Amino acid sequence: PCMPKYFDAHCHLQNATDIPGVLSRAESVGCAGCVCNATRPSDWDAVLEIGRAWSCVRCAIGVHPWYIGECSANWDVVLRQTLMTDKKIMVGEIGLDINHPDITAQERIMGTQMEIAHELSRPVWIHCVGAWDRVLHIMKSLGAHRPPVMIMHAFAGTPQILHQLMRYDNVYVSYSPMILDAHRTKLVDTVRATPLNRILVESDGSDPAVVTDVVARIAEIHGIDTDTVANTVFKNIGGILSI
């Protein structure tokens, strides 16, 4: 049988000390590529440079809620112009984090990025900590102006939040190595409730090879074989990235 294929839907290779090494290790376990997410304007160029250097790396650029203070007056103009240079560049990592200051400014900056993603028809990677009511409100209020695909990265919401997200047929939830933590028992219920055709997997770090463990854990929770999960998840990301 064919070796199952994997894909890291959210990583930060810009923080890796040995990019050739981590990508080589990822390839050796069947990981065909990854999406490298920026977090602030100052790392957009580094992320795009990695994407140019490695054909297996796709890029997303955006402003993470922790770094909204680093936005210049025209950050959104620069974002839009940069995205327009290559239609494969996506939007991320964006979102809301209740543990960080100025949630109102976070909402404004997230909303602007969601609108740009819609306007340029790009998938968007969303970070959310403790602010699901606000994220869901932004998604609802955008109406027809939502991005074509919305990925909830390192998802750790309740089954109730999952249910609300699944009402949108263009939403995917991406599970990270967080689900390998035996203490996160509530997350097991969420993973079990997630339809396989809406699941992505990610390292959320600088070692894409770890997604094989994440897939194995999802398979265990769903009670089905690992290859089936791996191939379904790979098909999911393939549809988003057109690979």
Side-chain angles (χ1 to χ4, degrees):
C2 288
M3 185 176 177
K5 273 190 167 176
Y6 298 88
F7 203 97
D8 182 354
H10 186 111
C11 67
H12 298 287
L13 288 179
Q14 67 271 36
N15 302 332
T17 47
D18 175 21
I19 295 173
V22 296
L23 290 177
S24 170
R25 185 162 69 253
E27 188 183 17
S28 73
V29 297
C31 183
C34 56
V35 176
C36 184
N37 272 254
T39 56
R40 52 183 122 180
S42 60
D43 72 356
W44 294 352
D45 285 346
V47 166
L48 296 172
E49 195 57 49
I50 294 166
R52 283 191 285 271
W54 303 94
S55 59
C56 61
V57 179
R58 298 289 284 273
C59 301
I61 59 170
V63 182
H64 186 292
W66 296 358
Y67 304 111
I68 60 166
E70 296 182 26
C71 288
S72 62
N74 68 334
W75 69 272
D76 53 328
V77 176
V78 177
L79 177 63
R80 187 183 278 105
Q81 286 174 344
T82 308
L83 290 166
M84 287 172 74
T85 64
D86 181 349
K87 63 178 187 294
K88 284 187 174 177
I89 307 170
M90 295 166 286
V91 177
E93 173 178 352
I94 76 169
L96 302 178
D97 196 320
I98 206 73
N99 301 322
H100 285 262
D102 209 343
I103 198 84
T104 309
Q106 288 183 36
E107 285 178 312
R108 187 178 68 248
I109 285 167
M110 178 187 176
T112 299
Q113 293 179 97
M114 294 279 276
E115 286 169 17
I116 292 171
H118 161 75
E119 179 194 326
L120 300 178
S121 195
R122 308 297 167 89
V124 65
W125 265 256
I126 297 171
H127 163 109
C128 179
V129 173
W132 282 110
D133 53 338
R134 293 167 184 265
V135 166
L136 286 158
H137 176 73
I138 288 171
M139 287 167 62
K140 188 177 179 183
S141 64
L142 284 168
H145 291 266
R146 283 187 288 270
V149 178
M150 295 174 284
I151 297 119
M152 307 300 153
H153 116 84
F155 187 66
T158 62
Q160 290 78 11
I161 290 164
L162 175 76
H163 179 69
Q164 288 178 270
L165 289 167
M166 291 295 98
R167 291 177 185 162
Y168 298 98
D169 59 10
N170 61 342
V171 167
Y172 292 82
V173 294
S174 183
Y175 288 112
S176 75
M178 206 189 296
I179 70 166
L180 306 176
D181 179 351
H183 297 105
R184 289 185 170 264
T185 49
K186 289 178 181 165
L187 199 44
V188 173
D189 296 333
T190 303
V191 173
R192 192 178 289 119
T194 313
L196 283 186
N197 66 348
R198 300 288 203 97
I199 293 178
L200 302 177
V201 292
E202 62 177 79
S203 66
D204 192 23
S206 50
D207 185 14
V210 75
V211 296
T212 58
D213 297 333
V214 179
V215 165
R217 180 67 182 126
I218 292 167
E220 188 183 8
I221 291 168
H222 275 259
I224 49 184
D225 69 285
T226 304
D227 285 13
T228 301
V229 176
N231 293 328
T232 304
V233 170
F234 187 78
K235 188 177 162 197
N236 295 343
I237 191 75
I240 295 166
L241 303 179
S242 307
I243 48 174

